[in-house]
Amino acid sequence: MNSLISKFTFFLLAMLAWSACDAKAFTLPTGHYCNPASGFNNPLPADMCFQLNVAYGSDPLQKFDVYMPSKGASKAPVIVMVHGGAWYQGDKFDNSVVRNKADYWVRKGTILISINYRLVPNVDPLQQAGDVARALGYAQQHVAEWGGDPDKLVLMGFSAGGHLVSLLASDPSLATTASPGLRPWLGTIALDAAVYDVPLTMGNPNHDPIFDQAFGTDPALWNAASPIVQLDARPAPFLAVCSTVESGSCTRAQAFVDDALGYGADALVLQEALDHEHINANLGLASDYTTQVNAFIAGLLNGTLH
């Protein structure tokens, strides 16, 4: 775990440096905006269209960005991406969160929505999951305006974001309470989720202090924000991507998937020989990894997985 945290800290600093550099070089546009195929001077992908900083709530962090095919779309599938950052930092615009995913899926005709959410210590992870649900609900109501199909939403999250999407997958009532009227999404993809069993993690005397900052000392919160505790019925299809080079990553993912399988879910673990940060950053690059994640999404869309 210490190796994972040290790598994670370095990765966060790199992401923040990238975002700061881009912010100085380019002011993000408002409204509907498209980049040409070449000859532009900003950090957004070429030959793609965007709707940035769409507000789904009143807090400045309750916003998301929409990435759309330049030629337009109609009833397109939609990936809703939730960034990581140990629950207290990270951003929807970070290069590792969106760049390769947009280049791969948006160019295939899929819409990508990358969301921000309120951060610890101003809120706890349970409230953060509520923000993700609100973003989902708002996207479902409005995605047709951007060419998407509200019934073809796939939820994806990395690290802390992987924990949040896993929690919503485990307890859909948490999502509908936060976002009344939200209809079920097709399935969930957790990219090396930071935690599945919160009480087990907090009960380990050697757990990293980042978990104390996020989950505090109240066992009631531990249970309420724990995907494996809240899982008590068959969830929608679930893919847990884990790292074979990070200690415990695949053991944690397999334990959660085994519980989901026990309820009859279409759930599986995808093991990758990538470290924590590259599980996120490399998704979308030409690889067997990207192909397998895309196959899972295709299974959701064609009804093979349900």
Side-chain angles (χ1 to χ4, degrees):
M1 177 61 76
N2 288 337
S3 172
L4 170 59
I5 298 303
S6 62
K7 291 177 181 178
F8 187 49
T9 301
F10 175 81
F11 183 54
L12 288 172
L13 292 173
M15 289 193 302
L16 291 171
W18 181 89
S19 296
C21 178
D22 278 335
K24 293 176 182 177
F26 177 66
T27 300
L28 295 179
T30 57
H32 188 88
Y33 173 84
C34 297
N35 259 340
S38 62
F40 61 95
N41 184 28
N42 65 61
L44 294 166
D47 196 21
M48 203 172 290
C49 296
F50 319 91
Q51 190 85 24
L52 303 177
N53 290 318
V54 176
Y56 66 87
S58 59
D59 190 274
L61 284 174
Q62 291 175 321
K63 294 179 180 178
F64 61 65
D65 298 334
V66 185
Y67 294 72
M68 297 164 278
S70 62
K71 294 179 174 59
S74 177
K75 295 187 180 300
V78 183
I79 297 173
V80 179
M81 178 65 196
V82 185
H83 71 76
W87 300 276
Y88 75 95
Q89 59 182 343
D91 189 81
K92 60 183 171 57
F93 191 62
D94 287 333
N95 194 36
S96 60
V97 175
V98 293
R99 172 65 71 164
N100 291 328
K101 300 175 188 69
D103 279 339
Y104 183 80
W105 274 288
V106 176
R107 298 193 192 286
K108 289 179 176 292
T110 295
I111 290 171
L112 175 68
I113 296 177
S114 182
I115 78 166
N116 271 349
Y117 50 90
R118 292 172 295 165
L119 300 171
V120 168
N122 295 321
V123 294
D124 62 39
L126 203 58
Q127 293 168 303
Q128 292 177 319
D131 278 4
V132 175
R134 291 183 191 94
L136 269 178
Y138 191 91
Q140 203 167 59
Q141 292 171 10
H142 294 274
V143 74
E145 300 169 16
W146 306 306
D149 188 330
D151 293 317
K152 294 181 181 177
L153 267 63
V154 178
L155 185 57
M156 179 185 293
F158 166 65
S159 195
H163 159 257
L164 298 177
V165 302
S166 300
L167 180 58
L168 292 175
S170 298
D171 184 9
S173 67
L174 175 62
T176 53
T177 297
S179 183
L182 174 66
R183 301 193 300 277
W185 57 99
L186 292 181
T188 306
I189 302 171
L191 306 176
D192 207 19
V195 62
Y196 289 103
D197 190 333
V198 178
L200 181 66
T201 296
M202 301 306 291
N204 179 350
N206 297 316
H207 69 259
D208 193 275
I210 63 168
F211 294 105
D212 295 316
Q213 178 175 293
F215 296 100
T217 58
D218 184 1
L221 175 60
W222 302 351
N223 287 321
S226 177
I228 207 164
V229 172
Q230 295 304 315
L231 183 64
D232 61 2
R234 179 180 177 173
F238 189 92
L239 176 64
V241 181
C242 66
S243 167
T244 61
V245 300
E246 303 286 2
S247 177
S249 171
C250 289
T251 301
R252 294 188 295 271
Q254 190 66 60
F256 179 79
V257 164
D258 285 347
D259 270 20
L261 290 171
Y263 288 106
D266 284 333
L268 62 154
V269 173
L270 176 58
Q271 298 187 7
E272 291 297 324
L274 296 168
D275 60 20
H276 184 65
E277 57 262 34
H278 288 104
I279 290 283
N280 184 38
N282 285 19
L283 183 58
L285 295 178
S287 65
D288 184 61
Y289 170 33
T290 297
T291 298
Q292 291 189 73
V293 174
N294 190 55
F296 177 83
I297 293 173
L300 298 175
L301 295 172
N302 66 27
T304 305
L305 300 170
H306 52 81

